[in-house]
Amino acid sequence: MSQQRSRYSAVAIVLHWLIAAAIVFQVIIAWRMGGGRTPEGFALVQLHKSIGITVLLLSLARLAWRLTHRPPPLPVGMATWEKALAKVAHVGLYVIMIGLPITGWIMVSASRIQVPTLLYGAVPWPHLPGLAHLAEPAKSAWHAFGETGHEVLAWGAYLLVALHVAGALKHQLFSKDEPVLAHMAPGTKPGAWFDPRLIGIVVAALAVIGAGYAVRPAPPASKPLPPPPPVVEEAPVETPPTAAPVAVETAPAAETPAEAAAPSAWKVSAGSTLGFATAWGGSAIEGRFDRWTADILFSPEALDKSKVSVSIDLASAVSGDSQRDESMQGADWFDVASHAKATFTASRFEKTGENRYVAYGTLTLRGVSKPQRLPFTLKIEGDKARVSGVTTLDRTAFGVGQGEWKSTDQIPAEVKVSVNLTATRR
């Protein structure tokens, strides 16, 4: 028998050991994820997805190679039942190596929270076509199917991998005339307990397990946000000189009370910001909404007639991490598919000190309306006004954070909201 027929090809051998290492590493990562509720767990989930897709691609390549390149025959001395069991195990392993990533892919694509998949934080990977945009009942059914299939296949993987390893060791250690391990580790001598290649495989397996416990992927963090568009100051319009007017003395017109008490309309300038701050697992998160509008009628001399209405596009929330930002749009958080906007309206104002005020109004978020107060400072110079204010709100009172995220052990209930704006009198 030729050397080529006494072992697998070099391509098959490389693919086999790469997939084996990836699966072992993947199992350790899965044990450590803890549901992905912490920043570290979330990062491990993203790594788990990346490795899963890698296993899928490698397994498809391995299957294609297997179908086009005949494997070496099993040893003649093997019992018929052993040969049958080996074939069943090989077929089962292919089902698991391909099925596990696909069922995981289904789970991610049909998840309530649509988190984009970036392979190793760099390469975008799409959701399965059609699943992400299904109606909620159908999406839930697909997610349940993927979850159940993933769990069943995972237990099947434990069983078949253990059976596969046990069979290889049985033939290597106790059957001198059945060189099975030598098919994938050329040169291994059957019957040798301390064969260098066997020792190398054991050491490599322990190294992969250690790496699975040691790896610490960077958790999502608030990267510096790009600055909002700068405030554009309009240059004053120059008027051509005119002849000096003739001075005519007239009595000043009497100012009516209505004119004296009328609030001014203000236009918010570019560069104004509406921000928020919270924490996740003790790590600070800062972000802002990039699309929002405000209708402002306000004058310190006419607080009783002043009013403000703010509309916020919830899909414009950014926090310095694209995967986290997309997840905030999901049903467990802002639920932008059903509640695209949040609004704050205020028609009662109180002066609390020099240039200091409090706006009393109503915040509507996720279809829930609650009273909300916003302390702010105001400085008016001519037709320019600068406003800054900070308040806090309870996210749980508005249903922001559903399911496991209702708990405040990882993300606190209190969220700080800040506004800094420049406005021009209309």
Side-chain angles (χ1 to χ4, degrees):
M1 186 182 295
S2 67
Q3 184 184 31
Q4 182 64 25
R5 296 289 292 139
S6 67
R7 65 175 178 85
Y8 284 91
S9 66
V11 172
I13 291 172
V14 170
L15 288 173
H16 173 274
W17 292 116
L18 283 177
I19 293 171
I23 289 175
V24 172
F25 188 84
Q26 183 78 315
V27 168
I28 303 303
I29 295 299
W31 289 348
R32 293 177 53 203
M33 290 190 305
R37 294 186 65 246
T38 66
E40 294 75 15
F42 182 87
L44 288 170
V45 169
Q46 307 316 310
L47 178 59
H48 186 76
K49 292 194 295 182
S50 297
I51 298 170
I53 296 300
T54 302
V55 169
L56 174 62
L57 297 177
L58 290 175
S59 299
L60 290 173
R62 176 70 183 91
L63 179 60
W65 188 265
R66 173 69 178 262
L67 294 176
T68 54
H69 296 75
R70 290 186 61 188
L74 293 172
V76 177
M78 285 182 63
T80 302
W81 68 269
E82 288 181 309
K83 292 180 179 180
L85 186 60
K87 291 181 179 179
V88 170
H90 276 91
V91 172
L93 285 171
Y94 276 108
V95 171
I96 285 169
M97 292 187 304
I98 295 172
L100 265 175
I102 289 179
T103 52
W105 194 4
I106 290 173
M107 290 171 59
V108 171
S109 301
S111 175
R112 283 169 52 87
I113 302 179
Q114 291 294 301
V115 179
T117 298
L118 294 175
L119 301 185
Y120 304 102
V123 181
W125 185 263
H127 293 309
L128 277 169
L131 292 188
H133 303 293
L134 288 175
E136 188 56 39
K139 182 186 287 188
S140 297
W142 273 102
H143 186 273
F145 168 77
E147 187 174 32
T148 301
H150 202 69
E151 183 176 355
V152 169
L153 289 173
W155 284 107
Y158 295 147
L159 176 62
L160 284 180
V161 168
L163 183 63
H164 186 65
V165 172
L169 289 177
K170 180 264 182 187
H171 292 291
Q172 171 61 27
L173 302 179
F174 303 105
S175 303
K176 294 182 179 181
D177 299 325
E178 298 175 3
V180 173
L181 185 59
H183 288 173
M184 276 297 175
T188 305
K189 296 180 180 180
W193 282 61
F194 299 102
D195 185 276
R197 291 164 182 79
L198 178 59
I199 294 174
I201 292 170
V202 173
V203 170
L206 293 175
V208 172
I209 292 173
Y213 282 108
V215 68
R216 294 288 186 272
S222 291
K223 300 175 183 176
L225 298 176
V231 176
V232 178
E233 299 288 349
E234 297 181 357
V237 178
E238 295 185 0
T239 56
T242 57
V246 177
V248 178
E249 293 187 2
T250 58
E255 192 177 52
T256 65
E259 291 174 338
S264 300
W266 299 86
K267 178 182 179 181
V268 176
S269 304
S272 300
T273 60
L274 178 60
F276 59 87
T278 182
W280 184 10
S283 300
I285 296 176
E286 294 186 359
R288 69 167 186 258
F289 296 96
D290 277 344
R291 295 188 298 274
W292 55 282
T293 59
D295 293 326
I296 303 173
L297 282 174
F298 187 87
S299 175
E301 294 77 27
L303 294 181
D304 59 329
K305 295 183 180 180
S306 297
K307 59 183 179 180
V308 172
S309 177
V310 181
S311 178
I312 307 159
D313 184 349
L314 296 175
S316 71
V318 293
S319 67
D321 182 89
S322 60
Q323 292 179 313
R324 180 174 57 214
D325 294 346
E326 189 158 343
S327 70
M328 285 194 293
Q329 301 180 28
D332 283 356
W333 295 102
F334 289 144
D335 192 16
V336 298
S338 301
H339 308 285
K341 305 285 186 181
T343 60
F344 175 71
T345 57
S347 56
R348 185 168 76 89
F349 298 85
E350 176 186 355
K351 186 172 183 179
T352 58
E354 183 67 23
N355 296 329
R356 295 182 178 276
Y357 303 85
V358 176
Y360 297 90
T362 301
L363 174 65
T364 300
L365 176 60
R366 279 187 59 111
V368 178
S369 297
K370 298 283 184 180
Q372 189 68 39
R373 63 191 297 274
L374 172 63
F376 65 94
T377 60
L378 169 66
K379 186 176 182 181
I380 299 176
E381 296 179 347
D383 288 334
K384 297 287 185 180
R386 296 187 180 277
V387 177
S388 63
V390 177
T391 189
T392 58
L393 57 86
D394 182 350
R395 66 173 179 86
T396 62
F398 296 91
V400 178
Q402 294 290 309
E404 61 184 347
W405 299 106
K406 285 184 178 180
S407 172
T408 58
D409 60 334
Q410 288 295 320
I411 300 179
E414 188 176 273
V415 178
K416 183 173 73 173
V417 179
S418 61
V419 59
N420 288 278
L421 66 83
T422 303
T424 304
R425 198 188 308 267
R426 294 181 185 272

